[in-house]
Amino acid sequence: QSVLTQPPSVSGAPGQRVTISCTGSSSNIGAGYDVHWYQQLAGTAPKLLIYGNSNRPSGVPDRFSGSKSGTSASLAITGLQAEDEADYYCQSYDSSLSGWVFGGGTKLTVL
Amino acid sequence: QVQLQESGPGLVKPSQTLSLTCTVSGGSLSSGGYYWSWIRQPAGKGLEWIGRIYTSGSTNYNPSLKSPVIISVDTSKNQFSLKLSSVTAADTAVYYCARASTLRYVDWYMDVWGKGTTVTVSS
């Protein structure tokens, strides 16, 4: 059971918009800690996608965006492409555990 | 550009110690301002943070881990290491090392990852 809760899977057709939620609690996201997102393509290491809730590292397309409100955060992907098919993970800090925590991951399928 | 590479035995016997090393290239471990971390991923499952070490040697570990953990750094070799004691089959996973950066020294995110190394715990 992950500290941060994500839907196991989402799907969308090419060109569509999808969102992935990440729900936490008052000891992590709700306490004001930032949320970061990672993309993991099949058989590869995770890659930083969004940091500090809504910042994109250099090279990440602006089709990817992040937001945070209350005890939750969201990753939105617009103009879905086949190459976006991957697992996505959110990450934050939890003050009760005094450490970093990940969501359980969401598998994005492009139909 | 900083790159990380994990190395170590791919097979460890139950109750023994799992030892992995992460070699940093393209940058210095002692330059400061980063955490150096270990994360693992059992086959078909999600990411689990194991622990982190700052350049000063200060460490934090995931309290949920059942096996004792030690992370250390060797600045002379530009490496940091993971030791997981008394391992069981549940410790079988792909192990990643990563560098963590920060915006305000409060929140940290992993911006550089190694490719990962598979460790199997089996007799």
Side-chain angles (χ1 to χ4, degrees):
Chain A
Q1 193 80 346
S2 301
V3 173
L4 304 179
T5 302
Q6 297 181 234
S9 63
V10 298
S11 63
Q16 284 190 332
R17 177 181 186 269
V18 296
T19 60
I20 299 173
S21 62
C22 174
T23 303
S25 66
S26 58
S27 62
N28 41 69
I29 300 175
Y33 295 107
D34 285 351
V35 177
H36 321 292
W37 292 90
Y38 303 88
Q39 176 193 59
Q40 186 176 32
L41 300 172
T44 69
K47 167 193 162 187
L48 180 67
L49 197 63
I50 297 286
Y51 66 96
N53 305 316
S54 58
N55 301 289
R56 284 186 309 276
S58 174
V60 173
D62 58 7
R63 301 187 296 105
F64 295 90
S65 63
S67 62
K68 185 186 109 170
S69 178
T71 58
S72 296
S74 289
L75 172 70
I77 309 172
T78 59
L80 209 54
Q81 299 181 4
E83 67 206 48
D84 298 332
E85 189 160 286
D87 293 323
Y88 293 84
Y89 294 89
C90 59
Q91 176 246 317
S92 186
Y93 177 83
D94 189 282
S95 57
S96 296
L97 299 174
S98 297
W100 296 329
V101 289
F102 286 97
T106 299
K107 182 175 182 59
L108 168 63
T109 300
V110 180
L111 302 171
Chain B
Q1 183 173 351
V2 173
Q3 293 184 311
L4 307 179
Q5 178 67 59
E6 305 88 350
S7 59
L11 181 64
V12 181
K13 287 182 167 42
S15 80
Q16 293 193 341
T17 297
L18 181 161
S19 296
L20 295 175
T21 296
C22 182
T23 301
V24 180
S25 59
S28 173
L29 259 177
S30 56
S31 61
Y34 301 104
Y35 269 108
W36 304 92
S37 186
W38 288 96
I39 299 103
R40 69 182 182 182
Q41 184 174 36
K45 297 189 178 181
L47 301 170
E48 180 179 38
W49 174 68
I50 298 172
R52 66 186 187 186
I53 187 165
Y54 199 63
T55 314
S56 62
S58 169
T59 54
N60 299 95
Y61 303 118
N62 184 340
S64 304
L65 290 176
K66 293 180 173 55
S67 301
V69 180
I70 295 177
I71 296 176
S72 59
V73 64
D74 187 338
T75 54
S76 67
K77 294 182 179 179
N78 226 25
Q79 296 176 333
F80 63 105
S81 300
L82 168 71
K83 289 191 188 301
L84 202 60
S85 307
S86 307
V87 295
T88 69
D91 295 308
T92 295
V94 175
Y95 285 75
Y96 296 100
C97 59
R99 183 186 78 173
S101 296
T102 184
L103 286 173
R104 296 176 297 273
Y105 286 91
V106 173
D107 296 287
W108 299 79
Y109 51 90
M110 272 66 80
D111 62 341
V112 181
W113 293 70
K115 293 183 178 179
T117 187
T118 301
V119 178
T120 302
V121 178
S122 176
S123 55

